[in-house]
Every structure is written in structure tokens, then in C-alpha cells.
Amino acid sequence: MEISTATADSAEVIRCEGRLNMVAVPHLRAAIESAVEQGQPRLVVDLSATTFIDSSGLGALVAGLKRARQAGGDLRIAGGGEQVRMVLGLTNLDRVLRPHERVEDALDGW
Amino acid sequence: MRALLIRLLVLLTVSTGTVYVGWRWLFSVNWPNWWIAVPLVLAETYALVDAYLFGLTMWRVRQRGEAPPPPPDATVDVLITTYDEPVDMVVATAVAAQRISYPHETWILDDGDRAQMREAATRIGVGYITRSEDWAERPRHAKAGNLNNALFQTHGELMLVLDADQVPDPRILHRTLGWFDDPGVALVQSPQWFRNVTDADPLGSQAPLFYGPIQQGKDGWNAAFFCGSNALLRREALMQLGIVGYVKEVEAAVREALSASSRVLSQARRAAREQGPAAVAAIETVQGAVAQARRELAAGEPVSEVTYTFQRRADAAARALVDQDLEAIRADLRVLEQLPVAVDEELGLVVIDDEALGRLAERDWSPLGAVTSVRELLRAVDVDRSDEAQPVMPLATVSITEDMATCMRLHALGWRSVYHHEVLAHGLAPEDLRTMLQQRLRWAQGTLQVLLRENPLVQKGLSIGQRLMYFSTMWSYLSGFAAVAFIAAPVIYLVLGVLPVQAYGLTFLSLFLPYVVANQALFSVVGYGVKTWRGHQYSLALFPLWIRACTTVVANVVLGRPLGFVVTPKTRQAVGGFPWRLVLPQLAAVTVLVVAAVVGVVRLWTGSAPSTIGTAVNLAWVAYDLVILSVIFQAARYRAPEPAEELVS
């Protein structure tokens, strides 16, 4: 898994490439934490290159959402392949973390 | 009477041969010149072992004659295997197969999955089978895979396997089915005969010694070989083979995975510290499950139950992890609900139910899978062989030539085989040297793969005779190394005067000549009325090919390198000039032999030759080598005759 961060005009975009699993989660948490600490609580997690997510990956997304909201911002997700959407749908978490088609859609309104 | 004569000649050959080679080792190896003396005496020993194995084969030549009348109601599938042969050729074979007079179903097994082939099959009204989806992204196993796939889509008790070019005689089933009256018979093999070969057969395509005395001799030891085409097989026997093989493979894979896992699991446990105590606990649970599974296997528990228990415990470990993750998610969601800035009305609707929980803990989504080694372990410790398209593979996939390995396993399970000596199908042989060389290389590689992977000498369930019959064929493919010694020794003697043998005198001749004469007499009686000379020539003249087969197979089996597998084209290849490159090693050998002969004569003339008898023996030897090698040049020049009639009817 590769996690890279890019700064957009109104938000921080965190891109997750590969498998978002137990091994990758600490890196995602660290990226979210560092963005919020640097004063940017508006986050987009780009899942368009994420091939797989497990329960710990979901946990990291929700924890990130909590962190962002507590700091007065939000966490939105964009992209996501078949498996990612299945997992979100199965757990009903897509009602909280509604996947946007593209990063630009997620940035809309910020 | 003939059988008695053959046995007498076998005894004569091996006794004179043993005396000669014994004398060579004990009294006549010229040790100071060991660098040529030892290779030569080894080559001679190789040939003697070959003579023993051949003699053993001939000892029990079995001429069966007519089969019993065919059963009235056997169900038979005729399976025509094809990969990329021309549609017209396959259709011609299929139409002939339809005309087989015994009731049967005809199927084209198209590994090329060609639309044209499918249409043609529908048009002429035969069944059409291609690989099922299970084969996508998994090892295809060539022809063995093609047949294994078809076995699960057809239902006949018996099946006739035909290569795409083997046009069957309408009587083929009537003539052979009777052998299956014996419920222990799993295989009936009939000869392969080629219709596009001239009388001289410079490519040595017809194998009358093999499809004749050798198969009959093997048959006498209940070891008649399966040769891939023109053979009938009993489905029940193949299925038994598949199931026995499946159990064996699964057990081996599970054992291997478990014993390899302790190290990777300790590593995984160390790495899991980063993910928190729950991850560590989960890995520990898996470690416990591994230990338990190994104890149970050692105690002789059935693999299915051991793996089932193991998987349950691994599931529980995964479930504990998922539970913990979901608990954290629920806690986070509760916090989110209470945040003053909350904007989602739907937050309260988030329900993570048991179904979701179960699915998230399943093997392919399990958080444990994050550790690759654990993921692989979980996959390996199971009984579904997820690395293969079908758990049950009746035809052996251990070698690129599926036939020999399959047959050997059938024999090891106690099944019998029959060689039916009557040509009942006519095929197409390679028509040019290049194609022929590819084919021979493939056969040699396949046979040697079986030798290295499933050495017949140590296979349980085979009789001593069967072991030696299989070994005999494999042994014959090692002739390339002996040929080099047989070419080098006379050259070195004639040019350098270096003697590998202490003396080429009368003792040598008096021990050597009886052996050679007995051996030749045996061949002429065994091969009476059939042409055995071509086969003999090729066993030496293709020495570069046989050596290449040995080296590539050792690299393949030991080092895991690919063989560079080729399917033999059945169609006419473009005609080019003289294929120099293909015969370069033989050309070099011929040049060296001729030069050596000239030098030898000059040395005799000038009186610097070690001995007259020695020079004479070695000149005769060179002449013999040249006659043997000449076949490859005939083959290189050979152009197949134009087909006299259209094959497509």
C-alpha cells in the first residue's frame, strides 16, 4: 500500500494505492493525523486506486471521519472499486461515508 | 519356437556382453589415458545395461491376437484433442470418428477455443468442448488439462482418445472393446501409424520396433504403455487415479504449508505488534491452530477434519479482529452522533449486522490476510486445491507428456494395460526435420521429467518388471552422452594414437565380436520383417538433441526453469533451403570423423600407427559412426511427398 498526500485549494487529498488493510492502516491514520494537526480538517480520501479494504481499513476511515468532524472539518471519500463499495454497502457505512465518483466531486462545495 | 530363439539370443547377448564389459573394466581400461578411457568404458556399460533392459523386454513378448467380442452395451466417448491444427484436419478426423460402427458419442476437445471449430462441430453434428471458466488464470496443463476438463463434461464408461490427425478405422471399437471384458483392464493401446511417410522414412516417423516387439514385450510384464493417442481408457480407472492423486496432493500440500509456517508466523507476530494487541492475539490463535493441526496430522487424523478445524479456528481469530474493528467503529459513530456539527440524519441508521460481520471475517476479506504469509497459509491449509482449475486431475500433469506418467500411476494402482497390435488409425507424421526434432525433444523431455519427478524404480505398487519396463524407456533417452564417447574414442585413437583400451588385439576381438554378433542376431530375429535400422540410427545420430533434453529437464525439475515447450505442428511447414543450423553438431562430428580416418590411414602408411589391428578396428568404427550419422543428412534433405488424395472427405 502506498499513501500519498496532496494539498488542494480547500482540502487535503490522501491517496491510498493498493490494499487498505491491517498493515496499511497505521500509515493512513498517520496521514490523517498530520493533516488535521497542520490545521486542515477537510480531508478527501481518494480510494480510486484501492483494490481491497478490510474491517481495519473501515475502522480507520470512520476514526478519520470522527477526528475531522471534531476538528470542525469533514472526511469524504472518492472512487473505490467493486470490493470497496461492497464492503461499504454491506456495513451500511456508505450512508455515513458516501463515496463520490471522483476527487473533484468530493471537493465540491468546499 | 521364435520365442525360444529370442530367449536364447537374449541370454547369449547379455552373457557375452557381461564378459566383454567385465573384461573392459577389470583388465583393459587404459588408466593413464583415463580422460577418454573412462568415458568410453562408461558408454559401453551404458550400452550393456540397455541390452539387459531390451533383453528383459523381449523375454516376455506377448502376441495377444484377437480381442474377445465387444460388449453389447458399453458407452463410449470418442475424444479428439486439438489445439491449433487446421479445422479441416480436425473435421476429417471427426467425420471418420462419427463413422466408427460401434455406438458412441464423438467430441472435439478444442483447446484453442476457436469459433470456426465450434461452428464446424455443430455443422457435422459432433460434441464440442472447451475449457470451463475454472481454468482462467490457472495452470492449463496442455493436453492433460484438455482431457481432464472433458472428463467432467462427458459420461461414457470408456473413452477413445485420438490426436487431431489420427483418422480412425470404422472398426476400431469393435476390434478393441473386448479387452475390457477383464474388469481390471484400464487401457488398450493400438499402434500409431502414419499415412504421409515414404517407404524409406528418412525422418524415422514409423516406430515399428516400438509399436511391435517393444510394446508386446512390455505387455508381457503388464506394462504396455499409453502413448497419448489411439488408446482406449476406462473412466473409472482414471477417476480413481484422479481421486487418489487429489488426496495425495492435498495431504502433501497441507503438510508442507504447516511445516513451513512456524517461521513465517513468528515473523508475522513480531510485525503485528504495530497493529495492536488484538492483531498479536489473532496471530497467536493461528499459531495455536497450526500446532494443533500438526499434532492431529501426526496422530493420523483425516486431512479433511484437520483442515476443517484449522479453518474454524482461523475464522475465529479473524472474527475477533473484525469484532474489535467494528466495536471501534460503533464507538466512533456514537461520538459522531453527539457532535454539535453533525449533519447526517442517517447516522442512526448505520447497522452493522451479523451478516456483515461474518462476511468481513471470511477468508478473502479477513484482516488476517493483511499478512501475506498468513493469507497464503490459510489458503494452503485446505482441501479445495484452489491453485488448480479442478481439484481432481485424472490425467497426470507432472510431465509435458501426460501419457507415460498417467499409465505408470494406473499400473501402480494395480490396473492392467493391453497392447493391441493392429493398426486402427492413420495419422500424420512431421514432414520436415525441424518439426521432427521438436517432437522428439518433447518426448524426451517428457519422459525424463517423469524419471526425475516419479522415478519408476521406487514407485510403490509397481512390480519389479513394470519398474524396469518404465526405466528401460527412460534409460534409452540417455544415449546422447554415450554417443559422444563412441564418436570421440576412434577419433582420438586415429589422430593422437591415444588408446582408451589397453590393447586392440586378438583378445579384444575375441571378446567383442561374439557380443556384437549375438546382439545383432537378437535384433534381426526380434525385428524380423520390420525396419529397426532407422530407430537405431536416430538413437545415436540425434545425440545433441538427447543431451539437450537431459540438460533442459534437469534445469527444469531441479532449478524450476521453463522447458520452452512446443506443440508439434501437424501441418506442412514452409520449405526452405538445407537446414544447416539444425545439423551443425552432426556436421562437425562427420568432418572430424573423416579427417581422423584420413590421418589414421596416413599414420598406418608411414608406420607411426600404434597397431594394425587397432587402426583397422577404429577405421571400421568410424565407418559405422558415419553410416549412423548419415541419416540426419538424408532427413535434412527430405521433402515429404505431396498428398496423393485430399484428406478432407
Side-chain angles (χ1 to χ4, degrees):
Chain A
M1 165 121 261
E2 261 186 58
I3 293 181
S4 52
T5 315
T7 308
D9 288 343
S10 51
E12 195 80 354
V13 179
I14 301 170
R15 182 175 161 82
C16 301
E17 223 177 304
R19 298 173 70 86
L20 183 50
N21 56 24
M22 197 166 74
V23 173
V25 155
H27 306 290
L28 176 60
R29 282 180 188 273
I32 292 172
E33 191 56 38
S34 102
V36 174
E37 272 181 9
Q38 282 166 24
Q40 181 50 284
R42 290 179 177 178
L43 308 170
V44 175
V45 179
D46 178 5
L47 300 175
S48 51
T50 307
T51 53
F52 171 86
I53 189 168
D54 68 5
S55 58
S56 60
L58 282 182
L61 290 179
V62 175
L65 175 67
K66 183 183 77 172
R67 184 77 180 89
R69 293 268 178 95
Q70 282 172 333
D74 200 3
L75 181 147
R76 298 175 182 173
I77 59 175
E82 198 186 337
Q83 195 268 349
V84 173
R85 281 170 193 254
M86 261 172 81
V87 169
L88 287 169
L90 193 71
T91 52
N92 291 321
L93 279 170
D94 53 357
R95 302 186 181 224
V96 187
L97 288 162
R98 189 172 296 111
H100 296 79
E101 278 300 314
R102 294 168 305 157
V103 172
E104 296 84 83
D105 303 329
L107 288 169
D108 200 31
W110 269 343
Chain B
M1 191 53 216
R2 181 165 168 269
L4 204 68
L5 180 61
I6 287 177
R7 288 191 174 188
L8 190 72
L9 288 171
V10 167
L11 287 178
L12 259 177
T13 302
V14 298
S15 54
T16 52
T18 309
V19 168
Y20 168 70
V21 174
W23 171 78
R24 289 282 291 106
W25 274 106
L26 296 175
F27 303 109
S28 65
V29 177
N30 201 3
W31 294 106
N33 299 327
W34 60 270
W35 51 274
I36 182 61
V38 172
L40 181 63
V41 75
L42 282 176
E44 288 180 293
T45 311
Y46 167 85
L48 178 65
V49 172
D50 206 45
Y52 266 95
L53 291 168
F54 184 72
L56 195 71
T57 312
M58 292 309 121
W59 196 257
R60 284 214 184 161
V61 165
R62 177 168 183 187
Q63 288 168 325
R64 286 177 178 261
E66 297 275 316
D73 53 358
T75 53
V76 186
D77 291 308
V78 177
L79 307 179
I80 301 162
T81 56
T82 171
Y83 175 64
D84 62 356
E85 294 83 358
V87 170
D88 287 349
M89 179 198 284
V90 185
V91 165
T93 304
V95 168
Q98 281 181 304
R99 291 188 189 140
I100 294 175
S101 47
Y102 193 90
H104 67 282
E105 284 181 37
T106 303
W107 301 87
I108 292 174
L109 278 46
D110 181 18
D111 232 353
D113 194 14
R114 291 163 289 176
Q116 256 190 310
M117 193 73 255
R118 183 190 289 271
E119 282 161 25
T122 316
R123 192 179 70 236
I124 59 175
V126 300
Y128 178 82
I129 295 178
T130 52
R131 300 289 183 107
S132 65
E133 271 174 29
D134 295 330
W135 294 86
E137 319 259 310
R138 292 213 170 82
R140 290 183 70 81
H141 299 306
K143 187 169 153 191
N146 196 3
L147 285 167
N148 282 336
N149 178 58
L151 272 172
F152 289 91
Q153 300 183 41
T154 55
H155 306 283
E157 300 157 61
L158 301 167
M159 62 201 67
L160 168 64
V161 180
L162 293 172
D163 278 351
D165 59 303
Q166 294 285 342
V167 175
D169 187 297
R171 302 165 303 142
I172 186 166
L173 292 176
H174 274 108
R175 300 289 299 158
T176 53
L177 282 179
W179 296 118
F180 287 100
D181 274 1
D182 175 350
V185 166
L187 164 80
V188 175
Q189 176 71 52
S190 74
Q192 301 201 19
W193 189 259
F194 302 101
R195 57 184 189 267
N196 60 334
V197 167
T198 54
D199 233 21
D201 189 17
L203 295 174
S205 299
Q206 312 288 24
L209 188 64
F210 181 79
Y211 290 112
I214 291 181
Q215 277 279 46
Q216 288 171 329
K218 290 187 193 295
D219 199 8
W221 294 96
N222 183 28
F225 277 16
F226 172 34
C227 304
S229 181
N230 311 355
L232 285 101
L233 292 151
R234 190 189 289 276
R235 172 185 292 269
E236 186 197 339
L238 285 179
M239 283 302 170
Q240 189 198 354
L241 199 60
I243 287 161
V244 168
Y246 161 73
V247 171
K248 226 189 264 173
E249 301 262 340
V250 162
E251 225 180 298
V254 167
R255 268 176 210 286
E256 195 183 326
L258 287 175
S259 65
S261 66
S262 20
R263 198 173 42 83
V264 293
L265 279 179
S266 331
Q267 277 172 3
R269 189 164 160 276
R270 274 197 296 283
R273 283 191 209 129
E274 226 182 295
Q275 278 92 46
V280 176
I283 300 279
E284 279 170 357
T285 310
V286 176
Q287 281 177 317
V290 165
Q292 186 188 344
R294 293 180 71 169
R295 273 197 308 277
E296 286 172 356
L297 269 187
E301 299 271 333
V303 182
S304 58
E305 288 186 17
V306 173
T307 54
Y308 183 78
T309 317
F310 176 84
Q311 291 292 347
R312 291 289 77 74
R313 294 192 63 179
D315 279 356
R319 213 175 159 102
L321 273 181
V322 172
D323 262 340
Q324 196 216 11
D325 286 332
L326 293 188
E327 205 40 62
I329 290 174
R330 286 197 190 99
D332 286 344
L333 290 174
R334 277 196 295 277
V335 175
L336 279 167
E337 270 182 77
Q338 283 149 21
L339 285 180
V341 291
V343 287
D344 307 274
E345 315 78 55
E346 295 186 76
L347 214 53
L349 290 174
V350 175
V351 184
I352 300 170
D353 54 11
D354 265 359
E355 189 200 343
L357 195 151
R359 181 67 184 94
L360 282 167
E362 267 174 38
R363 196 193 306 177
D364 55 334
W365 285 7
S366 156
L368 275 175
V371 190
T372 313
S373 54
V374 177
R375 187 164 66 229
E376 277 164 12
L377 173 67
L378 293 180
R379 197 173 294 144
V381 184
D382 206 346
V383 290
D384 66 349
R385 285 187 83 186
S386 53
D387 53 330
E388 293 282 4
Q390 296 176 173
V392 174
M393 292 280 192
L395 277 105
T397 53
V398 65
S399 155
I400 52 168
T401 50
E402 70 297 334
D403 36 25
M404 173 183 272
T406 302
C407 193
M408 193 165 79
R409 291 178 182 181
L410 283 172
H411 282 132
L413 285 179
W415 290 94
R416 284 190 285 281
S417 63
V418 169
Y419 173 65
H420 180 85
H421 188 50
E422 177 184 15
V423 174
L424 291 166
H426 291 80
L428 293 173
E431 297 194 334
D432 62 286
L433 182 64
R434 181 184 302 275
T435 315
M436 177 273 246
L437 292 176
Q438 283 172 2
Q439 185 192 55
R440 301 296 156 86
L441 180 65
R442 191 168 73 93
W443 290 347
Q445 287 175 328
T447 306
L448 294 168
Q449 270 183 327
V450 180
L451 173 64
L452 292 189
R453 294 215 168 113
E454 292 182 10
N455 185 342
L457 294 180
V458 297
Q459 294 301 308
K460 279 188 209 141
L462 293 180
S463 70
I464 298 290
Q466 288 173 323
R467 291 178 196 210
L468 290 170
M469 287 307 104
Y470 281 100
F471 185 70
S472 167
T473 296
M474 295 162 178
W475 185 257
S476 66
Y477 279 111
L478 304 178
S479 63
F481 301 103
V484 172
F486 288 141
I487 291 169
V491 170
I492 289 165
Y493 176 87
L494 291 172
V495 175
L496 305 174
V498 170
L499 276 79
V501 183
Q502 266 184 5
Y504 281 121
L506 286 175
T507 321
F508 167 79
L509 286 179
S510 65
L511 292 171
F512 180 67
L513 286 179
Y515 172 36
V516 170
V517 170
N519 202 6
Q520 288 307 311
L522 175 60
F523 261 93
S524 55
V525 173
V526 163
Y528 182 74
V530 299
K531 293 170 185 152
T532 59
W533 173 238
R534 282 279 176 262
H536 182 62
Q537 280 181 305
Y538 275 115
S539 73
L540 294 171
L542 290 186
F543 70 92
L545 185 100
W546 307 137
I547 291 173
R548 189 175 148 207
C550 291
T551 54
T552 50
V553 167
V554 167
N556 171 254
V557 174
V558 180
L559 308 173
R561 300 233 179 92
L563 278 180
F565 173 67
V566 278
V567 177
T568 317
K570 302 274 188 194
T571 48
R572 189 169 287 243
Q573 300 296 292
V575 178
F578 189 86
W580 292 107
R581 279 176 49 118
L582 294 179
V583 297
L584 217 54
Q586 288 91 342
L587 200 65
V590 164
T591 312
V592 170
L593 284 165
V594 170
V595 170
V598 173
V599 172
V601 170
V602 171
R603 283 171 66 112
L604 190 64
W605 200 277
T606 58
S608 64
S611 87
T612 312
I613 293 186
T615 304
V617 165
N618 281 281
L619 282 176
W621 192 349
V622 164
Y624 175 77
D625 281 347
L626 287 173
V627 174
I628 289 281
L629 287 171
S630 67
V631 69
I632 193 88
F633 303 104
Q634 287 178 52
R637 273 204 322 272
Y638 177 69
R639 296 289 168 262
E642 292 296 324
E645 48 178 329
E646 267 307 294
L647 297 172
V648 186
S649 43

